[in-house]
Amino acid sequence: MARRLELTILSDNTVEKRKLLAEHGLSIYFEYNEQQYLFDTGQGEVLVSNALKSGIDLKKIDTVFLSHGHDDHTGGLKKLLEINPEIRVFAHSDVFQAKYKKVDAGLEFIGINLAKSDISNFSAAETTIAAAAGVYNTGEIPAPRASYLNERYVVANEEGEKIDPFDDDTSIYIETESGIVILLGCSHKGVKNIIDEIRGAVGDKKIAAVFGGMHLKRAGRKEINGLIEYFKELDLDLLVPMHCTGRQAAVLFKEALGDVVQLASVGDKFEL
């Protein structure tokens, strides 16, 4: 069976196409081996409208993957479940934790607006799991905490608050004839940590493309330059920095890696 992959960006921070809308969020629709999938749902303000205007029927989607529990990736799930109540939801169980961001006024809630009990078809992705032939969820990424922890993000419950360990930060990877295609949510566990874990899982298979958020808006040049050298080592065919990657990092990637980097926005389509 030919492993052909088509992706369409339904939610991102920028848009250049008429009649489509942008938001601070991420959602990528993809078709693979005659099945339809969604990776993240954005904040929920644009998902349904952009899908309709892109000719995508959300009722036909088989599975939605949630990369982590922040509302700019899970906010559209409630509307999606209203449209497609039996859709299979793949996520780490910690996606339902109460998540907050530290701001000047205190703590701002940025977690999911649903409980696990609101989902009738939930698949826990604590470890690497195949959602279908050729489509894999990484499960929890083991990584040294010093390499990724960010004190701005916390989880809270009746016992108090703590820095979010982001155990729910998962990604997916897809086998294509060109090689492995990786979809990143926000990369809270660290871009290198995530990709290296996937490389270990796929062995000598080529990493052909990386799409998604890399959480580099506050990153310094040293960190960005380190990633540039890392991507050169990977010898990617395609790199699509999105959402929380930040404009500075995305432009520096483009300057260093040339045509390998595509500065995409809502409505853009890719075929691999």
Side-chain angles (χ1 to χ4, degrees), residues 114-230:
L114 293 170
K116 187 176 179 180
S117 58
D118 294 320
I119 301 170
S120 63
N121 192 0
F122 180 78
S123 293
E126 268 71 317
T127 59
T128 301
I129 186 170
V135 183
Y136 301 89
N137 189 300
T138 62
E140 189 174 320
I141 300 293
R145 293 194 171 196
S147 70
Y148 72 87
L149 278 187
N150 186 332
E151 64 180 17
R152 296 177 62 237
Y153 297 99
V154 302
V155 291
N157 55 34
E158 61 277 0
E159 298 177 358
E161 66 182 60
K162 66 177 182 179
I163 297 175
D164 194 341
F166 282 113
D167 291 336
D168 60 322
D169 188 78
T170 62
S171 301
I172 66 171
Y173 57 98
I174 307 157
E175 296 176 345
T176 75
E177 294 177 357
S178 301
I180 301 297
V181 176
I182 298 173
L183 304 187
L184 304 170
C186 261
S187 305
H188 285 291
K189 273 289 183 80
V191 176
K192 292 181 182 180
N193 293 334
I194 295 167
I195 296 177
D196 281 347
E197 188 69 16
I198 294 171
R199 292 170 77 187
V202 303
D204 59 0
K205 294 179 181 176
K206 175 181 172 60
I207 305 298
V210 176
F211 290 77
M214 303 179 200
H215 219 268
L216 299 172
K217 285 184 178 180
R218 295 172 180 262
R221 288 292 294 268
K222 182 178 179 180
E223 182 178 356
I224 295 170
N225 288 340
L227 276 175
I228 288 171
E229 295 306 311
Y230 179 73

Side-chain angles (χ1 to χ4, degrees), residues 17-50:
K17 291 179 170 57
R18 294 188 64 192
K19 299 185 178 180
L20 297 178
L21 302 171
E23 65 181 359
H24 178 82
L26 179 71
S27 181
I28 302 173
Y29 167 85
F30 65 97
E31 297 181 14
Y32 179 77
N33 289 346
E34 301 181 354
Q35 294 290 327
Q36 300 176 36
Y37 303 90
L38 195 66
F39 179 70
D40 282 338
T41 66
Q43 286 191 47
E45 300 298 325
V46 305
L47 176 66
V48 176
S49 173
N50 285 344

